[in-house]
Amino acid sequence: MKVAIVGTGYVGLVLGACLAETGNEVVGADVDAAKIDGLRQNRLPIYEPGLEPLVSRNQQEGRLRFTTDVGEAVEHADVVFIAVGTPPDEDGSADLRHVLSVAGTIGQHMNRPKVVITKSTVPVGTADRVRAEISKHTSSPFHVCSNPEFLKEGAAVEDFMKPDRVVVGVDSDEAARVLEDLYSPFVRTGNPLIFMDIASAEMTKYAANAMLATRISFMNQIAALCERVGADVTLVRRGIGSDRRIGSAFLFPGPGYGGSCFPKDVRALVLTGRERGAPLDVLEAVEAANARQRTVLFDKLSRWLEGRLKGAAIAVWGLAFKAETDDVRESPAIVLVEALLAAGAQVRVHDPAATETARRALGSRVTYAPHAYDALDGASALVIVTEWREYRNPDFDRIKRLLARPLIVDGRNLYDPDRMEHLGFTYDSIGRRAACASS
């Protein structure tokens, strides 16, 4: 099948590489000439495990190419995906200018009937607006569908190749047959291809992200209560996660959710509810809880250092909002670093993948350590924000020798408090007792 994907960011690039891998003829289009030039040379703009080999192999075999000529890509294709960004507008709503601009371009280059699919995360009613924008420029027949993505950063290729489900919103049998053919290689093991009306598909994406964000904020609030009543949130999580009605996913407490999806999607859904007279009080509470949680590591550190942060060297391990990605958008680590800088601390940071993306946000205001231990020498504390594997079993003797004070604030509960106390650390984590080094 001939496929065009407009937008070569996180979603569009994974989509294009995976569709090409199953034999489709795919063109990825983007107006960013530097990005396209890099992609043609197999230089990816994002870090995503397993993606670079797919892009390289499928370009070499002629199934995947990249262009800045969006119109040419549209004319090439029978199926056109819109995968451009929908950043939050000033009021928190999804900014659809890029989506509708692409729709206009599609209409101008509608050289034969096509199926147009919104892959970007868009509010309910966007497909109707896309259809109207295309119709301004063409009299050719076309179909508009909604096909929201459910990819986890850090596992996106695996998620696409072996999806839990594929959700497609359609309004015609013909469009449904096209999408069924396109996705049949990915649902051979029986995971469902779920067809529904377009509005329901658009809502499904927001509802899924809002539910996951709710679980995170719920568990973070339970963790805060555990600290005050002497309970261990790790045991509580196991206790409730073993209930089949609840399950264990997204019940790990931490420094708050971040990334490109949860924060903006929760805000957008809350705004939609207000506009339609169906207030989402639960999600407003989720947002408020997450905002408070993003300060928890700074608050803990400040308490242990008795507020004496000015001039103190603080080491931060992890800048990405989660492991296995270089995405620092809405990252709790950036929030922490900004708070430390505002308090006058000298901040040294390390991340295995996100140094360059973090540099765009933090500039030269922090010291970037090439290796994790390089951030520790003489530091008053180590704060762990991202759960990278290399942080999970470090050389604790070396850490203790390098730190000026053996203080670790662990935002991901990577270590056992009893062990840390035995090793002579002052150790504080999320929802568990603090371990104090003996003097």
Side-chain angles (χ1 to χ4, degrees), residues 143-357:
H143 301 280
V144 174
C145 309
S146 172
N147 175 216
E149 57 86 14
F150 298 98
L151 306 178
K152 298 187 295 292
E153 291 192 44
V157 172
E158 181 75 7
D159 284 350
F160 196 98
M161 292 296 194
K162 300 176 182 178
D164 293 332
R165 78 293 198 203
V166 177
V167 172
V168 181
V170 296
D171 59 5
S172 73
D173 292 339
E174 183 179 347
R177 284 193 295 272
V178 171
L179 271 295
E180 189 171 22
D181 288 345
L182 195 64
Y183 277 108
S184 61
F186 307 104
V187 293
R188 290 168 61 88
T189 58
N191 289 340
L193 177 58
I194 304 173
F195 288 102
M196 58 182 70
D197 63 273
I198 292 174
S200 296
E202 291 173 331
M203 177 59 76
T204 297
K205 168 65 175 179
Y206 279 101
N209 279 356
M211 173 58 76
L212 297 176
T214 299
R215 288 171 68 95
I216 293 170
S217 283
F218 170 80
M219 209 61 205
N220 284 336
Q221 294 214 308
I222 292 296
L225 183 57
C226 283
E227 291 184 15
R228 286 159 178 76
V229 301
D232 186 331
V233 74
T234 301
L235 302 177
V236 174
R237 176 181 58 79
R238 291 175 184 169
I240 66 174
S242 61
D243 187 326
R244 284 177 293 180
R245 298 169 300 173
I246 297 172
S248 60
F250 286 83
L251 290 183
F252 287 85
Y257 60 76
S260 63
C261 294
F262 288 4
K264 76 178 182 68
D265 290 355
V266 170
R267 285 194 291 267
L269 193 54
V270 166
L271 185 64
T272 298
R274 289 175 186 164
E275 291 174 343
R276 301 301 178 94
L280 299 171
D281 301 343
V282 169
L283 293 186
E284 292 186 21
V286 167
E287 271 199 296
N290 194 60
R292 290 192 297 272
Q293 192 69 14
R294 285 152 67 92
T295 70
V296 70
L297 297 181
F298 177 84
D299 294 341
K300 285 176 176 289
L301 186 62
S302 185
R303 284 197 298 272
W304 284 111
L305 296 180
E306 299 177 331
R308 295 192 292 268
L309 285 166
K310 188 173 183 179
I314 305 297
V316 175
W317 278 4
L319 295 167
F321 84 95
K322 61 179 285 189
E324 302 300 332
T325 181
D326 63 350
D327 194 344
V328 300
R329 287 174 289 183
E330 302 268 1
S331 172
I334 302 300
V335 175
L336 170 65
V337 170
E338 292 287 5
L340 289 171
L341 292 172
Q346 300 173 14
V347 184
R348 307 170 187 167
V349 300
H350 175 266
D351 190 284
T355 297
E356 290 309 311
T357 50

Side-chain angles (χ1 to χ4, degrees), residues 1 3 5 14-26 58 63 79 81 160-161 182-183 186:
M1 197 174 296
V3 179
I5 300 168
V14 173
L15 170 67
C18 291
L19 289 180
E21 182 73 2
T22 53
N24 297 288
E25 186 179 325
V26 180
N58 283 285
R63 292 189 298 265
V79 175
F81 283 91
F160 196 98
M161 292 296 194
L182 195 64
Y183 277 108
F186 307 104

Side-chain angles (χ1 to χ4, degrees), residues 304 317 373 376 381-384 391-401 403 405-430 432-439:
W304 284 111
W317 278 4
Y373 297 104
L376 303 180
L382 165 62
V383 187
I384 300 169
Y391 302 155
R392 293 180 182 236
N393 193 25
D395 183 338
F396 290 110
D397 288 338
R398 186 176 179 185
I399 292 174
K400 192 175 180 183
R401 288 197 307 270
L403 289 175
R405 172 179 178 176
L407 170 61
I408 297 178
V409 176
D410 180 0
R412 298 294 180 176
N413 291 2
L414 298 185
Y415 313 135
D416 177 70
D418 290 335
R419 182 188 183 197
M420 299 306 290
E421 185 173 18
H422 177 74
L423 291 172
F425 285 93
T426 297
Y427 176 75
D428 201 353
S429 53
I430 307 293
R432 305 185 296 178
R433 71 174 185 86
C436 298
S438 56
S439 55

